[in-house]
Amino acid sequence: MTNTATGHLREPLNWPEGGVTRIPYRVFSDPEIYALEQEKIFKGAVWNFLCLEIDIPNPGDFKTSFVGEIPVVITRDQNGEIHAMVNRCAHKGALVCLQERGNRNTLACVYHAWTYDLEGKLKGVAFRDGIRGKGGMPKDFDPSKHRMEPLRVETYCGLVFGTFSSETEPVPEFLGPEIDHHVRRNLGRPVKLLGFHSQIMHNNWKLYAENLRDSYHATLLHTFYTTFKVNRLDMDGGIVLSKRGWHHISYAKRSKLQESAEYQDAAVHAAQYDSQLAAPEMLDSWPEFDDEITHSIQTIFPTLSVQLTLNSLAVRFFVPRGVDKTELFWMYLGYEEDDEAKTRMRINQANLTGAAGLVSLEDGCINEFVQRGTRGSAPDTTAFLEMGGRDVAPSEGSRATETAIRGFWKGYRDIMGFE
Amino acid sequence: MNAEAPDQLEKSDIGLQTQIEDMFADYVHSIDDDDIEAWPEFFTETGFYQIISRESHAAGHAIGLLHCDGKGMMKDRVKAMREANIFEPHRYTHVIERPRLKRHSPELFNARTNFIVTRTMQNGDMETFASGKYLDLVDVSKKTPKFQKRLVVLDSRRIDILLVYPL
């Protein structure tokens, strides 16, 4: 078996020549590598998305989630402070919180009624002194030595992050200035939840991490816009990468048309006049920010993404459920300040993404096609990622590049120690 | 649901009930037989269709999985599915129970119908894809009953792979 403490695989992985332009298919299907990722990535020096702050607005609120495969629970205590811990009883390892969300003064394990406060500290053990003087815990039992395992928590732009490592730098530094700026742009205001659902993809989690960073495939696989001749004009755009290449932003601008008097006069407009849609009002939108960026999707390593495509604001979060299974959570948001017309446009545009997304539903199966296609491949076979060059660098003016995917693999190799 | 509506249908409603039940059956058969082009025609021009999880429905969320406000958006869905979207071939079989109808107004009936949908992939994989209930508002003012509203409330908030055929 894997010796995760030292990070050695029984079959060592020697990364092929070509660095981040060559991805051994083995990383998508090897259970040993998958186990090592749990240790090195999800328990390592990264910020894992836990939940939205609005998931737990009130004192006593809790929400369960996952860090890699590890079940966690996030709470808000009576002082309003947010805590996170492994959702596992210190006694026998049972889940402490069974419900996905709720409100409690204390957290109690149903198995033997061990009780914890909202920080995960052990407060009570049933029959500690036995019954009628018999049984009970040994005299030297010290409750302060048993608690639910805590995570370090940081709340940032309404996102609650957790880490198991004491070395993870503060979230804004972890993101770097460009990524930080763009998250603040999109989530720097109070938000409300408009809806959520999840989707099972039958592929390794890293295939979806790649897919999110794959600006090359967008107009090739997803042909909704071209089929309906939706006028996307000369969408100017590019790729921004964080310094280490871990996180990215892919953005597009609906170009100069915004500047025409026609558009200036209308705060809200039908974006797509010459489309062949029977109901073009589905794409009604308004310019949300004055930086001209109309479509953006960004990733935060390892498993978070924020989209603002037209006015569809959503947080995507994916959880590995085994070496070849991933659950993708979609959280659709609006701003607290949105009026009815804006909310209606966000609702209509939500049709574009998600498990039934007109533009993007292919992503639910395409990564599975890779998972299936690479089965039985020879040990030295790899993916070939040279679109847009061989380096990990931002791309101004073009999204016909795989640079952000190479950035992901740069981060992945660094953390995993695959040289 | 109109609280004032009588729980039992009037005798004069029985003919309409049969018509509505036939329409419900035709609706699922069209989808199961891959005649998706017929799907929007089961709705009025301003008909509303939404697929949403039970959790989201209970929480009053506006966004579910899919949302069509008017027949035009349904037709766009059909065209997207036929011409734009890429997915592995698969088919559904719907099993629906007898709809429970209640008069909502002279022109409208409320209906609740539980359903189970199996999905069979081209390689033979078959599983329960969805279960839940249809909550409908059926317009009976014209010759043929049509949906003014069809809300598909799914038991699960989780979709396997993707959802491209309507339910």
Side-chain angles (χ1 to χ4, degrees), chain A residues 194-214:
Chain A
L194 297 179
F196 80 102
H197 67 265
S198 79
Q199 179 178 11
I200 290 289
M201 300 179 294
H202 297 268
N203 56 261
N204 185 270
W205 68 277
K206 298 187 296 298
L207 286 169
Y208 190 67
E210 278 197 321
N211 182 249
L212 282 167
R213 290 165 172 83
D214 186 341

Side-chain angles (χ1 to χ4, degrees), chain A residues 76-91:
Chain A
R76 189 184 288 272
D77 70 17
Q78 299 306 332
N79 301 318
E81 205 176 318
I82 294 176
H83 307 276
M85 47 244 151
V86 176
N87 187 12
R88 182 185 296 150
C89 185
H91 176 213

Side-chain angles (χ1 to χ4, degrees), chain A residues 100 194-200 202 221 223 227-228 277-279 327 347 351 355-356 358 361-362 364 372, chain B residues 55-56 61-67 72-73 76-77 79-80 83-86 88 157-163:
Chain A
E100 289 197 340
L194 297 179
F196 80 102
H197 67 265
S198 79
Q199 179 178 11
I200 290 289
H202 297 268
L221 176 66
T223 60
T227 299
F228 286 94
L277 286 164
E327 184 166 6
I347 293 167
N351 278 306
L358 288 163
L361 65 84
E362 290 83 10
R372 281 154 59 183
Chain B
E55 249 171 301
S56 269
H61 292 154
I63 294 177
L65 278 136
L66 186 164
H67 175 108
M73 285 174 81
D76 289 338
R77 277 265 162 200
K79 186 173 172 189
E83 295 179 29
N85 293 136
I86 293 163
E88 202 165 358
R157 59 115 200 277
R158 184 194 277 176
I159 292 293
D160 187 65
I161 307 176
L162 56 81
L163 188 149

Side-chain angles (χ1 to χ4, degrees), chain A residues 93-388:
Chain A
L95 290 174
V96 175
C97 296
L98 302 177
Q99 290 168 293
E100 289 197 340
R101 57 184 77 227
N103 186 283
R104 299 270 191 283
N105 290 322
T106 55
L107 309 177
C109 178
V110 293
Y111 200 172
H112 302 89
W114 284 36
T115 308
Y116 303 87
D117 68 12
L118 293 169
E119 284 183 58
K121 288 181 184 155
L122 184 60
K123 288 293 161 189
V125 170
F127 306 142
R128 179 178 171 183
D129 299 325
I131 296 173
R132 297 195 196 96
K134 291 186 177 172
M137 283 289 181
K139 293 239 173 324
D140 60 356
F141 174 73
D142 180 359
S144 72
K145 293 200 170 126
H146 306 265
R147 59 158 297 156
M148 293 166 76
E149 184 186 352
L151 284 82
R152 211 148 60 80
V153 169
E154 219 174 278
T155 299
Y156 164 86
C157 284
L159 306 167
V160 182
F161 287 98
T163 182
F164 283 102
S165 169
S166 57
E167 290 166 19
T168 321
E169 63 269 61
V171 172
E173 285 171 41
F174 175 73
L175 299 178
E178 297 90 349
I179 306 294
D180 170 54
H181 173 266
H182 201 74
V183 180
R184 287 179 195 281
R185 169 197 190 264
N186 291 344
L187 296 174
R189 286 183 273 166
V191 294
K192 57 186 173 189
L193 186 69
L194 297 179
F196 80 102
H197 67 265
S198 79
Q199 179 178 11
I200 290 289
M201 300 179 294
H202 297 268
N203 56 261
N204 185 270
W205 68 277
K206 298 187 296 298
L207 286 169
Y208 190 67
E210 278 197 321
N211 182 249
L212 282 167
R213 290 165 172 83
D214 186 341
S215 47
Y216 176 24
H217 86 293
T219 54
L220 301 172
L221 176 66
H222 306 307
T223 60
F224 175 79
Y225 284 126
T226 43
T227 299
F228 286 94
K229 303 198 172 17
V230 170
N231 190 352
R232 296 190 67 182
L233 305 171
D234 54 338
M235 298 266 284
D236 174 29
I239 307 289
V240 176
L241 288 181
S242 65
K243 197 172 165 193
R244 290 184 292 191
W246 294 15
H247 327 293
H248 97 296
I249 308 163
S250 172
Y251 67 92
K253 298 179 175 184
R254 207 191 292 130
S255 197
K256 304 282 184 199
L257 198 67
Q258 300 282 0
E259 291 168 15
S260 71
E262 186 184 356
Y263 279 80
Q264 280 176 0
D265 291 346
V268 170
H269 58 82
Q272 330 286 350
Y273 288 116
D274 53 358
S275 80
Q276 292 182 357
L277 286 164
E281 65 270 22
M282 187 181 68
L283 297 177
D284 280 358
S285 65
W286 78 97
E288 193 116 36
F289 294 97
D290 54 16
D291 56 10
E292 295 185 349
I293 294 174
T294 51
H295 294 69
S296 70
I297 181 158
Q298 71 178 141
T299 53
I300 295 173
F301 190 94
T303 49
L304 184 67
S305 174
V306 181
Q307 71 167 53
L308 186 53
T309 53
L310 295 176
N311 309 105
S312 182
L313 178 63
V315 170
R316 308 183 197 178
F317 165 55
F318 51 109
V319 177
R321 301 288 194 205
V323 69
D324 56 1
K325 194 170 168 183
T326 303
E327 184 166 6
L328 170 61
F329 291 87
W330 295 85
M331 288 155 269
Y332 288 94
L333 304 175
Y335 298 122
E336 278 289 351
E337 67 199 26
D338 286 350
D339 60 21
E340 210 179 302
K342 288 180 177 175
T343 301
R344 192 174 59 248
M345 286 189 256
R346 292 196 209 280
I347 293 167
N348 279 339
Q349 292 173 25
N351 278 306
L352 301 175
T353 56
L358 288 163
V359 173
S360 68
L361 65 84
E362 290 83 10
D363 289 334
C365 63
I366 196 66
N367 305 294
E368 179 187 339
F369 296 167
V370 177
Q371 190 80 33
R372 281 154 59 183
T374 56
R375 267 185 207 154
S377 54
D380 58 348
T381 45
T382 70
F384 175 86
L385 303 179
E386 295 193 3
M387 181 56 71

